[in-house]
Amino acid sequence: PALVFTEQPFQGNPVAIMADEDGWVAVGASETGAPTAWTSTAAVRWTPHPVPDPNAEMREKDGFIGSVMGPMAKWGDTWFSFGTVIGCCDGRGVLAWRSTDGQAWEVIQSESPLFTDGYYVQQLVAHDGGARDRIPAVLQPRLELDARGLLGCE
């Protein structure tokens, strides 16, 4: 059968959408600009879920963009979104979240060079450690880190 797309209204601005055997997960910003995730079983009706925003005051009080969710990947049973915090004078830094169900998200705290020196993540790919030459991951600035280094965990 032919694949048919039907336009559906969406409340917010998704920047990444992925699916697994349990359904669909999208991340992006609400209509007010706050980080938001959405879940759906069939990608027709979406349920929004608030996402913790460590920079809410920057957006609400100071008028900057603040926390922005970005590219997603799923590694094992965990969803990851690597975004950016945008502040004064186009100052940026890497900010990331994780979730095991696509609904409840937590901010990743890390001292990894990606978080301390990174500018933004353009693309995100999760893999099992196989052939690295086939992984099209691009980081700005380019950092070669495995998952333990990337997330700053043991």
Side-chain angles (χ1 to χ4, degrees), residues 12-13 27-38 49-53 55-56 59-60 65-69 97:
N13 289 314
V27 298
S30 69
E31 292 176 314
T32 64
T36 304
W38 297 267
H49 308 282
V51 173
D53 184 358
N55 301 294
R59 183 184 66 259
E60 296 164 0
I65 293 173
S67 304
V68 178
M69 296 187 85
W97 295 264

Side-chain angles (χ1 to χ4, degrees), residues 18 71-75 80 82 121-129 131-132 134-139 145-147 150:
M18 292 184 68
M72 264 196 320
K74 188 172 185 192
W75 187 29
F80 294 91
F82 281 72
V121 175
Q122 184 177 2
Q123 200 173 14
L124 185 62
V125 176
H127 67 97
D128 63 3
R132 287 179 184 253
R134 291 186 240 149
I135 305 300
V138 178
L139 304 178
L145 299 170
D146 65 15
L150 187 68

Side-chain angles (χ1 to χ4, degrees), residues 78-131:
T78 304
W79 295 96
F80 294 91
S81 174
F82 281 72
T84 304
V85 57
I86 303 173
C88 177
C89 307
D90 198 29
R92 294 176 187 243
V94 173
L95 183 61
W97 295 264
R98 66 178 154 223
S99 172
T100 56
D101 61 6
Q103 299 176 26
W105 292 79
E106 67 177 327
V107 174
I108 297 173
Q109 301 292 329
S110 176
E111 294 300 317
S112 157
L114 176 64
F115 290 84
T116 60
D117 302 331
Y119 187 69
Y120 73 99
V121 175
Q122 184 177 2
Q123 200 173 14
L124 185 62
V125 176
H127 67 97
D128 63 3

Side-chain angles (χ1 to χ4, degrees), residues 7-79:
E7 188 173 329
Q8 300 287 330
F10 200 97
Q11 303 297 317
N13 289 314
V15 296
I17 301 173
M18 292 184 68
D20 68 2
E21 62 278 355
D22 296 322
W24 294 78
V25 176
V27 298
S30 69
E31 292 176 314
T32 64
T36 304
W38 297 267
T39 55
S40 176
T41 55
V44 176
R45 288 179 178 64
W46 293 86
T47 303
H49 308 282
V51 173
D53 184 358
N55 301 294
E57 184 174 304
M58 183 183 294
R59 183 184 66 259
E60 296 164 0
K61 181 180 171 194
D62 301 330
F64 299 113
I65 293 173
S67 304
V68 178
M69 296 187 85
M72 264 196 320
K74 188 172 185 192
W75 187 29
D77 65 349
T78 304
W79 295 96

